[in-house]
C-alpha cells in the first residue's frame, strides 16, 4: 500500500457499512438453494484452528494476533504492528448464507484433515471466495466514492500533463483550478482501482466456479495443489489469495511486462491466471501448507518445488517470507509470538509485512523464521483430534 492506498483502506474501514456486501456467493446454485441469513463466515476456521491458536488464558484469552496497520501517534501515517482480535470476529466475511456455509465447508470442518484432493479444493475455494468477496466490496466502495464521476473522465490528458509541472512549481494556476485538477487525479486513481477490481472479480469468479465444479461433481480442475506438512502444530494460520511476483527468495517469477498485463486486463484463460491460494493451519500435531495455483502457472510451480527442496530451517524461512510478504489474513498465537520473539524481532516482522503491503512491487527478503520453536505443551494439548473441544 502506498499512502494513498492506506488512506483508501482507512476510508474503507470507516465507510464499510456503505460498501459492505451481505450476499451469498452461491445464490442461484442449482444443487442447493440458499437458506437462512447471510452469516459471518470464518475464512480461517474458528473451532478447529483459531481456538487452538488463541491464548488459552490470561488477558488475551480467546484472542489472536494478526498483522495490520494502526494510525501513528501523530495520525499522519500508519504503523504496522501485531494487533489483538477476538476469534469470534477475526477473518470473517459476509459471503455465504448459513445453508451454503455449512454445506460447502462441512468436509473440512467436521472431518480430520487428511490432505484429500477434495479437502484441498475446499480450502483453496474458501481463500478465493474471501478474496472475491473483498474485491466485490472494494469495487462497490469505489462506486460509492465516485458517485456520478464513475463514467466521467474528469482528469483529461491536458490535466495529466499539467499537474507534474504545477507540483514542481514550474507552473502556477488559480487555486480553484488546482483543486479541480487534484480532485480529477484522485477520481482517476479510484477509476483505475475500480477497473482492476473488475478484472480480479472476473478471475476469482472463474477460479471459484472451477473449484466448485471440482468439489461438487468430482471433476478434475484447472488448478493443482502442492501440499507440505511441517512437524509440530505451530500456532500460525492463514487463508489467502494473492499474485506472487517474487519467489521466497525475492527473485522475480512474474516479469515486469507480465505484471503490467495482469494489472490491465483479466486473464484470457485459466492457464494465464497468476492468482495463488495459500492455506496454512495447525491440526493433528502438524502444520499443513497448501499452495493452489493454475496448472498453467509453471513458473510458480517451479519456485515452490525449489522451496520444498530446501532443508528444514531454510524452508521455514522461505515460507515465512512468503507469508509475511503476501498474506494479510493471518493469525498468530499471542503467547507464542511474545515468548519466542524479542521486541526487536517482532518489530522486524511487522516491517517485513509492511513493505510489500505498501508496495506490491517490492519484496523484503528477511531471515525471520516464524516457525521457530517447538510447539509448547499447551499448544499440543489444544490441537484437535478427539479432545472433544467444542466447535
Ligand atoms: Zn446461499
Amino acid at each position: 500500500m502506498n499512502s494513498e492506498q492506506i488512506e483508501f483502506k482507512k476510508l474503507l474501514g470507516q465507510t464499510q457499512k456503505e460498501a459492505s456486501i451481505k450476499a451469498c456467493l452461491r445464490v442461484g446454485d442449482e444443487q442447493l438453494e440458499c437458506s437462512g441469513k447471510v452469516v459471518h463466515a470464518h475464512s480461517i476456521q474458528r473451532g478447529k484452528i483459531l481456538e487452538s491458536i488463541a491464548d488459552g488464558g490470561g488477558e488475551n484469552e480467546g484472542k489472536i494476533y494478526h498483522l495490520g496497520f494502526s494510525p501513528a501517534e501523530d495520525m499522519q501515517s500508519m504503523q504496522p504492528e501485531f494487533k489483538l482480535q477476538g476469534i469470534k470476529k477475526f477473518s470473517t466475511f459476509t459471503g455465504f448464507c448459513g445453508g451454503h456455509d455449512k454445506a460447502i465447508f462441512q468436509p473440512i470442518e467436521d472431518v480430520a484433515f487428511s490432505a484429500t484432493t477434495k479437502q484441498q479444493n475446499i480450502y483453496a475455494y474458501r481463500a478465493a471466495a474471501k478474496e472475491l468477496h473483498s474485491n466485490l466490496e472494494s469495487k462497490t466502495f469505489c462506486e460509492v466514492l465516485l458517485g456520478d464521476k464513475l463514467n466521467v473522465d474528469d482528469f483529461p490528458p491536458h490535466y495529466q500533463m499539467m499537474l507534474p509541472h504545477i507540483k514542481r512549481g514550474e507552473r502556477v494556476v488559480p487555486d480553484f483550478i488546482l483543486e479541480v485538477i487534484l480532485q480529477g487525479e484522485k477520481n482517476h486513481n479510484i477509476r483505475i482501482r475500480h477497473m482492476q477490481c473488475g478484472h480480479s472479480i472476473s478471475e476469482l469468479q472463474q477460479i471459484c466456479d472451477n473449484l466448485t465444479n471440482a468439489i461438487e461433481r468430482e471433476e478434475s480442475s484447472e488448478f493443482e495443489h502442492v501440499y507440505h506438512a511441517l512437524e509440530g502444530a505451530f500456532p500460525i494460520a492463514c487463508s489467502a489469495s494473492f499474485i506472487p511476483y517474487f519467489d521466497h527468495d525475492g527473485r522475480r517469477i512474474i516479469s515486469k511486462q507480465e505484471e503490467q498485463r495482469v494489472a490491465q486486463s483479466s486473464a484470457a484463460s485459466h492457464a494465464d491466471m497468476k492468482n495463488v491460494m495459500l492455506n496454512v493451519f495447525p491440526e493433528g500435531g502438524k502444520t499443513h501448507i497448501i499452495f493452489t495455483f493454475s496448472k498453467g502457472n509453471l513458473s510458480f510451480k517451479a519456485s515452490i518445488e525449489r522451496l520444498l527442496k530446501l532443508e528444514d530451517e531454510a524452508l521455514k524461512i522461505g515460507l515465512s517470507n512468503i507469508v509475511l510478504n503476501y498474506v494479510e489474513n493471518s493469525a498468530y498465537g499471542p503467547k507464542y509470538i511474545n515468548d519466542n520473539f524479542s521486541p526487536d524481532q517482532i518489530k522486524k516482522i511487522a516491517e517485513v509485512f509492511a513493505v510489500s503491503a505498501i508496495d506490491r512491487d517490492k519484496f523484503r527478503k528477511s531471515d525471520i523464521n516464524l516457525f521457530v520453536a517447538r510447539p509448547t505443551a499447551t499448544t499440543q494439548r489444544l490441537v484437535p483430534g478427539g479432545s472433544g473441544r467444542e466447535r
Side-chain angles (χ1 to χ4, degrees):
M1 279 184 289
N2 54 38
S3 57
E4 223 162 67
Q5 289 170 308
I6 290 173
E7 187 61 26
F8 183 84
K9 279 225 138 182
K10 267 200 297 196
L11 272 172
L12 184 61
Q14 283 158 8
T15 32
Q16 217 154 21
K17 269 221 168 95
E18 260 183 286
S20 85
I21 293 181
K22 281 187 184 155
C24 184
L25 290 169
R26 297 290 274 271
V27 67
D29 182 358
E30 285 168 12
Q31 302 216 342
L32 177 72
E33 265 185 50
C34 282
S35 62
K37 280 198 308 194
V38 168
V39 292
H40 288 265
H42 277 82
S43 59
I44 301 175
Q45 273 166 257
R46 178 182 167 187
K48 249 204 290 199
I49 299 172
L50 291 177
E51 270 188 26
S52 76
I53 288 176
D55 280 7
E59 57 176 338
N60 297 334
E61 181 166 6
K63 290 182 177 163
I64 52 86
Y65 264 160
H66 66 101
L67 286 161
F69 290 88
S70 297
E73 274 171 31
D74 60 3
M75 297 301 285
Q76 295 302 305
S77 58
M78 299 286 274
Q79 295 294 330
E81 62 177 14
F82 276 111
K83 301 169 87 164
L84 277 168
Q85 192 169 12
I87 61 172
K88 197 176 164 197
K89 271 192 97 174
F90 178 73
S91 88
T92 59
F93 67 112
T94 49
F96 292 109
C97 69
H100 275 115
D101 183 47
K102 200 167 173 3
I104 299 165
F105 302 112
Q106 189 269 338
I108 53 172
E109 306 238 330
D110 298 347
V111 182
F113 184 73
S114 55
T116 64
T117 303
K118 183 168 184 160
Q119 284 178 327
Q120 296 188 66
N121 282 337
I122 295 171
Y123 269 100
Y125 172 76
R126 184 157 56 187
K130 181 176 194 295
E131 189 64 18
L132 170 59
H133 182 260
S134 141
N135 272 280
L136 287 166
E137 288 195 331
S138 292
K139 184 164 174 271
T140 307
F141 183 61
C142 291
E143 287 159 15
V144 171
L145 284 180
L146 286 167
D148 59 359
K149 292 290 188 296
L150 177 61
N151 297 310
V152 178
D153 185 2
D154 57 355
F155 193 53
H158 66 279
Y159 280 6
Q160 297 183 32
M161 278 158 65
M162 213 194 296
L163 190 56
H165 296 286
I166 299 172
K167 283 182 176 171
R168 285 198 297 265
E170 297 159 3
R171 199 169 161 177
V172 181
V173 294
D175 280 353
F176 74 96
I177 293 185
L178 178 60
E179 215 166 284
V180 168
I181 298 177
L182 287 175
Q183 187 59 46
E185 183 192 34
K186 210 169 158 189
N187 290 341
H188 176 74
N189 289 336
I190 302 171
R191 279 190 295 270
I192 289 176
R193 176 175 284 265
H194 182 261
M195 177 199 74
Q196 286 169 346
C197 284
H199 297 325
S200 302
I201 288 166
S202 129
E203 281 195 26
L204 289 160
Q205 186 66 61
Q206 290 181 61
I207 293 171
C208 286
D209 289 348
N210 198 266
L211 288 169
T212 300
N213 282 334
I215 295 162
E216 288 183 350
R217 294 180 254 293
E218 313 267 320
E219 287 170 14
S220 72
S221 83
E222 301 286 334
F223 295 85
E224 65 177 288
H225 310 285
V226 169
Y227 167 73
H228 183 78
L230 301 177
E231 278 310 316
F234 295 94
I236 297 175
C238 74
S239 174
S241 172
F242 53 89
I243 297 179
Y245 296 97
F246 304 88
D247 72 0
H248 62 274
D249 231 3
R251 279 175 298 217
R252 254 191 189 276
I253 48 175
I254 295 178
S255 69
K256 268 273 182 198
Q257 248 178 340
E258 185 73 2
E259 183 180 336
Q260 277 164 4
R261 203 273 302 152
V262 169
Q264 280 160 13
S265 61
S266 35
S269 69
H270 287 113
D272 292 331
M273 289 185 184
K274 301 293 183 195
N275 274 289
V276 167
M277 278 64 74
L278 170 62
N279 283 277
V280 174
F281 56 95
E283 188 181 324
K286 287 182 160 59
T287 302
H288 306 273
I289 297 146
I290 311 166
F291 287 101
T292 307
F293 49 91
S294 156
K295 283 177 178 166
N297 196 349
L298 301 176
S299 56
F300 181 74
K301 186 177 186 175
S303 80
I304 290 304
E305 284 170 349
R306 282 199 300 276
L307 171 68
L308 295 181
K309 274 193 200 128
L310 299 173
E311 51 86 23
D312 189 60
E313 168 93 3
L315 189 157
K316 286 172 176 167
I317 291 173
L319 186 61
S320 303
N321 271 319
I322 291 177
V323 170
L324 290 175
N325 276 283
Y326 292 124
V327 177
E328 270 191 66
N329 185 35
S330 55
Y332 304 84
K335 193 175 175 342
Y336 169 80
I337 293 293
N338 293 326
D339 286 355
N340 291 294
F341 299 90
S342 69
D344 271 357
Q345 285 172 315
I346 289 176
K347 200 165 160 247
K348 202 170 149 196
I349 291 172
E351 281 168 4
V352 173
F353 163 77
V355 168
S356 46
I358 288 169
D359 184 355
R360 66 165 189 198
D361 207 32
K362 291 210 171 83
F363 186 98
R364 168 79 67 92
K365 188 186 164 191
S366 88
D367 56 359
I368 294 166
N369 178 5
L370 292 171
F371 307 89
V372 66
R374 299 303 299 168
T376 62
T378 326
T379 315
Q380 272 167 349
R381 188 165 48 77
L382 292 179
V383 163
S387 60
R389 287 175 62 81
E390 56 179 294
R391 296 188 55 237

